[in-house]
Amino acid sequence: RPREPLRGSASPGLPLVEVLGDAQLAPRTVARCLERGLTHRAVHVWLCVPRTGALLLRKWSRSSMKHPGLWGPTCHGEVHSYGGGGDGHAAEVSTQAAERVLVEQLGVEAHSNTVGALEHWFSCRSSDGMCQELLDIYVGAIEGAGLPALSLGADEAVDWVFCGEVFEDRLAGSRLLFHMEDEYRAFMMRRCRASLVRNDVLNTFGAVL
């Protein structure tokens, strides 16, 4: 959906998320969505250096509710919903959710001197066991000041990798990597490849296009 102002506030306590289905469902916690296999809206945020194809891959905490202990997108969070007294619709649009999780999970703001505006690349469904999501994928380019200090959990880590390693080659299909649908892999690689500069990729990763 187009960017729009917040339409209200999510309820206090555990955040509730927008649940999708044939009929309008009341909002649920993420834990309840995972227990019941309910389809809910979520966002991925990738930080990147477009010319080199570098992606900031994140190793998620073993206590994370989604892909615990696995390497995955830079940020991953849900679209929050109004509380039980609301109508079950989202209290934020996915652009706002993406910007929020970037701050909550990394301590980094979009539209800053380090990260540009988050760009919505595509949306797709993801089915990983009981984790059923409608994902909006956002990408933010690292600006001239470089990557700032990040706020990570004690058992989390980040690493710069070439996009082809994640979506095509060495890591693709690895048990160390988060679940991706084929559509996800193909679209991410196609969009990343469009911005690559051959010499920059070679100088940074030694990869030949």
Side-chain angles (χ1 to χ4, degrees):
R1 284 178 283 186
R3 185 180 177 86
E4 63 185 41
L6 284 170
R7 291 176 288 158
S9 300
S11 61
L14 289 176
L16 301 175
V17 300
E18 186 178 17
V19 179
L20 305 176
D22 294 334
Q24 184 64 48
L25 300 175
R28 299 286 193 272
T29 63
V30 176
R32 184 56 59 89
C33 288
L34 297 178
E35 289 172 2
R36 298 189 176 183
L38 298 175
T39 300
H40 55 284
R41 296 182 62 222
V43 295
H44 283 181
V45 179
W46 290 94
L47 297 185
C48 72
V49 181
R51 292 170 61 91
T52 67
L55 292 174
L56 191 64
L57 198 64
R58 178 181 190 157
K59 185 175 184 181
W60 288 82
S61 170
R62 291 188 178 276
S63 62
S64 173
M65 285 192 289
K66 296 179 180 179
H67 38 255
L70 299 179
W71 290 90
T74 316
C75 295
H76 182 179
E78 294 73 36
V79 178
H80 286 177
S81 177
Y82 290 115
D87 59 7
H89 287 95
E92 59 185 354
V93 292
S94 66
T95 303
Q96 293 161 335
E99 293 176 348
R100 173 177 53 77
V101 299
L102 192 61
V103 174
E104 292 177 350
Q105 298 177 6
L106 289 184
V108 174
E109 292 189 9
H111 308 279
S112 67
N113 63 342
T114 55
V115 178
L118 299 183
E119 181 184 358
H120 179 256
W121 273 17
F122 67 105
S123 302
C124 72
R125 288 190 175 270
S126 176
S127 179
D128 182 20
M130 296 296 282
C131 184
Q132 303 290 319
E133 298 174 303
L134 176 60
L135 290 170
D136 285 332
I137 293 84
Y138 289 85
V139 176
I142 298 298
E143 302 287 328
L147 189 67
L150 305 178
S151 300
L152 295 171
D155 60 343
E156 294 183 321
V158 292
D159 192 16
W160 286 109
V161 296
F162 179 58
C163 56
E165 293 185 83
V166 178
F167 304 120
E168 287 186 334
D169 303 324
R170 182 169 63 87
L171 295 177
S174 168
R175 293 187 178 182
L176 300 177
L177 203 61
F178 77 114
H179 171 80
M180 284 181 286
E181 306 291 340
D182 290 342
E183 175 188 4
Y184 190 113
R185 295 181 191 276
F187 200 101
M188 283 295 295
M189 194 62 222
R190 185 163 65 249
R191 286 296 302 266
C192 287
R193 189 176 291 279
S195 300
L196 298 179
V197 176
R198 184 183 302 270
N199 286 341
D200 290 352
V201 174
L202 181 62
N203 292 335
T204 304
F205 294 106
V208 179
L209 299 181

